[in-house]
Amino acid sequence: AKLLPVSLFKETPAEAESLFIAFLPYSWSKKAPFGQAAVSGYYPTSNFGHTQIGKFKEELLECGVFAEENKTVFEKEAASYCGGCFGKNTLYFHEKFGSALFIATLFVGVAAENTEIKKAALSHLCENCSLCEKVCPVSALPKRDMKEDCMRAKMYKKPMPADAMENLYQLFGCELCQRVCPMNAMVSEKEQYAFPIDTLFLDRKPLEELVG
């Protein structure tokens, strides 16, 4: 976590002096047994991150320190001032955690003193192995619009496109291009949440209720 001076960004609250940024890493989900659906490790990590940043905001306000939710600066833009690089899949890669992380931000009324600003490079660590391009089930790499064409984007479309439905392997995000990337060698794999498909799609229990 670190504080970034608001002078780096175009639109910021008048009372803000810094943008607080924190990186919460997660692990890949192991493949779910037959008849079950795994949930991306990003989902519980992002829920935890949102909860914690909300608590942090309330604690600052109780101490008389300005704190406001970030609605104007993209998390990847903020992360780009913390070193690391961007991959061919347009994702941000942290030097220590890789791309398997949730980025939490909050505007605060605390000055960023002696903060080292290290601009992220454009794929200077990328080995150009093209593994991400080869593994993408919907051929979204390297030049298509990732916001529209990647698996994760298609999973949220209604109705879900046929090519995404055929390659769906977990809920809330596709991470295949991240899993094969050499820059994510430090990311581990462990059992996350996995639920019987009947529970999710027939009983229609909300995922929030199942995960807690």
Side-chain angles (χ1 to χ4, degrees):
K2 66 189 308 181
L3 293 173
L4 299 171
V6 293
S7 58
L8 294 170
F9 313 108
K10 293 182 179 180
E11 297 182 43
T12 61
E15 298 177 71
E17 296 185 54
S18 304
L19 180 67
F20 171 81
I21 182 169
F23 300 96
L24 284 71
Y26 65 91
S27 299
W28 310 132
S29 294
K30 285 187 176 181
K31 186 177 180 180
F34 180 79
Q36 294 188 9
V39 177
S40 166
Y42 179 85
Y43 183 80
T45 304
S46 62
N47 277 0
F48 174 78
H50 283 301
T51 300
Q52 294 303 112
I53 206 73
K55 290 181 178 179
F56 183 41
K57 172 187 172 183
E58 294 305 317
E59 290 175 358
L60 289 175
L61 292 174
E62 289 177 3
C63 294
V65 179
F66 173 82
E68 184 176 301
E69 182 182 352
N70 171 28
K71 297 181 180 179
T72 58
V73 178
F74 287 112
E75 284 77 10
K76 286 200 296 185
E77 179 189 355
S80 72
Y81 292 102
C82 302
C85 69
F86 289 92
K88 286 185 176 181
N89 55 9
T90 75
L91 295 177
Y92 171 76
F93 284 77
H94 189 277
E95 293 176 340
K96 182 178 179 181
F97 305 124
S99 63
L101 48 81
F102 170 73
I103 304 172
T105 57
L106 182 71
F107 282 114
V108 296
V110 180
E113 298 180 358
N114 302 318
T115 298
E116 179 186 5
I117 303 302
K118 189 177 180 182
K119 192 66 174 158
L122 296 175
S123 300
H124 77 292
L125 298 177
C126 179
E127 299 178 3
N128 291 312
C129 62
S130 299
L131 290 175
C132 56
E133 298 176 29
K134 296 173 183 177
V135 78
C136 182
V138 292
S139 302
L141 294 166
K143 296 182 179 180
R144 296 174 68 185
D145 185 352
M146 295 298 288
K147 292 183 179 180
E148 294 291 332
D149 298 322
C150 75
M151 263 288 287
R152 187 177 190 278
K154 290 187 174 186
M155 287 169 65
Y156 287 95
K157 292 183 178 181
K158 296 181 181 180
M160 187 185 298
D163 58 348
M165 182 70 73
E166 293 170 359
N167 292 285
L168 186 65
Y169 71 96
Q170 70 174 13
L171 302 177
F172 293 98
C174 174
E175 295 158 343
L176 295 179
C177 64
Q178 299 181 71
R179 286 173 177 254
V180 299
C181 181
M183 293 191 293
N184 276 330
M186 75 290 286
V187 183
S188 61
E189 183 182 69
K190 69 177 184 179
E191 291 184 6
Q192 304 277 8
Y193 296 99
F195 304 102
I197 294 177
D198 289 349
T199 300
L200 293 169
F201 298 104
L202 298 182
D203 296 342
R204 293 190 176 277
K205 289 187 177 180
L207 193 58
E208 291 85 352
E209 176 184 329
L210 295 170
V211 174

